[in-house]
């Protein structure tokens, strides 16, 4: 199996994301694609000191952590925490299903695809080291690509709570990368104040 082909299949699928963001070098790109690419970078950084390199399944899960997320918009679920939690549960299942659909045709072994699907759904978070690494990466990408936007949308008090909950899910190795992952601006100021 070649990871590059699998990454290309994931990226091409995520190119359909109608949401765009501007990268640090000024390019406009589909949000899901950019978040997948950044997840690959953060996974390498997160695992740089680990004695064992990330498995193929973990690398695929990281690249696909927002695979086709745009197909099930948050607005299609009720407002409030219960609606959010139902959306997140359904979204994770949808991502695992889409991962099978995207990776099957490029020859990714089924056992790797199934394991990547388990990681994407965060099954056994708290007891599975690979799922913890995945959670760290997802949190780092969130802080890099969404934190400032969230601050503008819902304000510092609610974002402070979100960052506290995010940090609580991260390992010490993941937390150590949080200041680096968060761009200069109000988001980083908030992160640094909470980590102090």
């Amino acid at each position: 199996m070649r990871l590059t082909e699998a990454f290309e299949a994931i990226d091409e699928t995520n190119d359909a994301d109608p949401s765009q963001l501007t990268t640090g070098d000024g390019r406009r790109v589909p949000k899901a694609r950019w978040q997948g690419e950044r997840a690959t970078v953060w996974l390498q950084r997160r695992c740089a000191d680990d004695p064992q390199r990330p498995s193929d399944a973990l690398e695929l899960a990281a690249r696909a952590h927002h695979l086709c997320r745009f197909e099930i918009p948050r607005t299609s679920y009720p407002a409030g925490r219960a609606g959010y939690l139902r959306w997140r549960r359904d979204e994770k299942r949808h991502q695992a299903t889409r991962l099978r659909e995207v990776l099957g045709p490029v020859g990714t072994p089924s056992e790797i695809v199934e394991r990547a699907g388990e990681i994407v759904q965060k099954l056994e978070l708290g007891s599975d080291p690979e799922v913890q690494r995945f959670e760290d990466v997802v949190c780092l990408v969130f802080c890099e690509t969404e934190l400032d936007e969230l601050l503008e949308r819902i304000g510092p008090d609610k974002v402070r709570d979100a960052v506290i909950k995010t940090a609580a899910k991260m390992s010490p190795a993941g937390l150590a990368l949080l200041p680096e992952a968060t761009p200069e601006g109000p988001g980083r100021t908030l992160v640094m104040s909470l980590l102090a």
Side-chain angles (χ1 to χ4, degrees):
M1 180 198 81
R2 290 180 48 204
L3 275 175
T4 52
E5 291 177 356
F7 283 174
E8 286 171 6
I10 291 167
D11 292 346
E12 287 172 8
T13 303
N14 273 336
D15 278 342
D17 187 355
S19 297
Q20 303 269 310
L21 53 73
T22 304
T23 65
D25 60 5
R27 292 179 297 131
R28 293 287 294 164
V29 295
K31 186 175 183 179
R33 181 185 180 122
W34 182 245
Q35 289 176 321
E37 291 175 358
R38 296 306 300 158
T40 295
V41 171
W42 285 114
L43 179 63
Q44 296 309 313
R45 293 277 293 115
R46 165 62 181 81
C47 296
D49 296 328
D50 288 353
Q52 186 176 9
R53 79 170 217 48
S55 69
D56 289 346
L58 178 54
E59 291 207 47
L60 292 171
R63 190 62 163 237
H65 82 282
H66 278 178
L67 181 64
C68 299
R69 189 176 203 179
F70 50 90
E71 293 178 346
I72 304 179
R74 169 66 182 98
T75 54
S76 63
Y77 285 75
R81 183 149 176 79
Y84 171 78
L85 293 174
R86 203 172 95 219
W87 170 71
R88 286 296 297 128
R89 181 200 64 215
D90 293 350
E91 186 62 44
K92 289 177 195 175
R93 290 178 183 160
H94 180 67
Q95 287 169 322
T97 299
R98 293 294 277 133
L99 195 55
R100 286 191 291 275
E101 294 168 358
V102 168
L103 295 182
V106 296
T108 308
S110 60
E111 65 274 10
I112 293 176
V113 176
E114 290 306 313
R115 176 61 178 149
E118 292 172 358
I119 296 169
V120 164
Q121 294 179 80
K122 301 183 188 179
L123 303 178
E124 307 301 327
L125 180 60
S127 61
D128 184 325
E130 283 197 309
V131 176
Q132 182 58 62
R133 290 184 197 106
F134 175 79
E135 180 67 26
D136 287 347
V137 167
V138 169
C139 292
L140 292 168
V141 172
F142 163 75
C143 285
E144 181 181 22
T145 64
E146 298 188 71
L147 187 57
D148 283 338
E149 174 193 327
L150 194 64
L151 266 167
E152 286 180 23
R153 198 170 73 241
I154 66 173
D157 291 336
K158 288 184 180 178
V159 172
R160 183 175 292 106
D161 291 342
V163 171
I164 289 169
K165 288 175 185 173
T166 296
K169 296 185 285 186
M170 298 177 75
S171 71
L175 282 171
L177 293 170
L178 205 51
E180 182 183 339
T182 311
E184 289 286 344
R188 179 182 273 186
T189 302
L190 175 60
V191 165
M192 296 304 290
S193 72
L194 292 174
L195 291 179

